[in-house]
Amino acid sequence: MRVFVILPAAGIGTRMAAGSHAAAPKQFLAIGGVPVLVRSVKAFLEVERVDAVCVAVRGTERERVTQQIQEYGLGPRVHVVEGGDSRQESVSNALAGLQSSDDDLVLVHDAVRPLIDAATIERTIDAVERHGAAIVGLPAVDTIKQVERTAEGAIITATIPRERVVLAQTPQGARVGLLRKAFAEAEADGFAGTDEASLLERAGVEVAVVPGSARNFKITQPGDIELAEFYLQQAGAR
Ligand code: C5P
């Protein structure tokens, strides 16, 4: 059984544009001098069981990413493929290109979650091996409200017991055959999801949850680079 990793990194990072890091896609911003995408790739290369890391990027970024792979000595386990217009399309393109069998295992990880740690990756691989599919999820600490969006703002319609909720992070993984089936069904039905689990769930696959951490957050808005640097300093100080 081989382990493949797909890193969708073809986003354009519009939510970041208003801040001090204007317009640069989030995966190319530097944290402590090292690009976000490079940090994400390195986290997976640290795990020996990972056979290959496949990075999905925009055609216009291919050269930059290939250069970074060389500059940081990321080596032969890293491959670059063309991304798409949505995260789902980027993952789908990468999945289509994997030279894998149905029993192999694939993890998908947002390139913009650079602080993922090896232990969580290992636990996710173990859970996929055991259950067929698994994601990293953060237990909710706040009380969760369901709302209806109105012209006046959000109005609460229900309170969801927080012990029944986790916030979906990545990696999200499955046996290659199961994920391919889930993607094929989503495409046939015109379903667009924001993560792999939503596609697996609707394909009837049971998905296990591995505990995540606040550190594994998604670089999304101005200030997040500084937050990531703070986490790294804390880790270094320990
Ligand atoms: O935009 P969002 O925060 O959901 O992006 C999550 C991940 O998906 C990011 O790493 C981003 O680069 C990637 N993505 C992609 N192709 C797109 C849009 C987003 O690979 N078209």
Side-chain angles (χ1 to χ4, degrees), residues 195-212:
D195 70 350
E196 286 60 53
S198 56
L199 275 57
L200 289 159
E201 291 157 41
R202 67 190 297 284
V205 177
E206 213 168 76
V207 185
V209 179
V210 168

Side-chain angles (χ1 to χ4, degrees), residues 2-4 94-106 175-177 180:
R2 288 170 305 164
V3 177
F4 295 90
L95 197 54
L98 289 188
Q99 303 286 314
S100 58
S101 68
D102 283 356
D103 267 355
D104 289 333
L105 202 149
V106 57
R175 296 274 175 196
V176 170
R180 285 209 164 118

Side-chain angles (χ1 to χ4, degrees), residues 128-142:
V128 176
E129 253 194 296
R130 198 169 320 122
H131 301 282
I135 71 161
V136 174
L138 186 67
V141 288
D142 295 319

Side-chain angles (χ1 to χ4, degrees), residues 115 217 223-232:
L115 301 190
F217 73 103
D224 283 351
I225 291 292
E226 289 75 8
L227 179 61
E229 285 175 342
F230 172 76
Y231 273 123
L232 283 177

Side-chain angles (χ1 to χ4, degrees), residues 8-11 15 26-27 56 58 84-87 90 110-112 218:
R15 276 170 293 191
K26 301 169 281 185
Q27 59 274 26
R58 294 197 166 252
D85 287 335
S86 67
R87 182 186 181 283
S90 294
D110 293 325
V112 289
K218 182 158 73 169

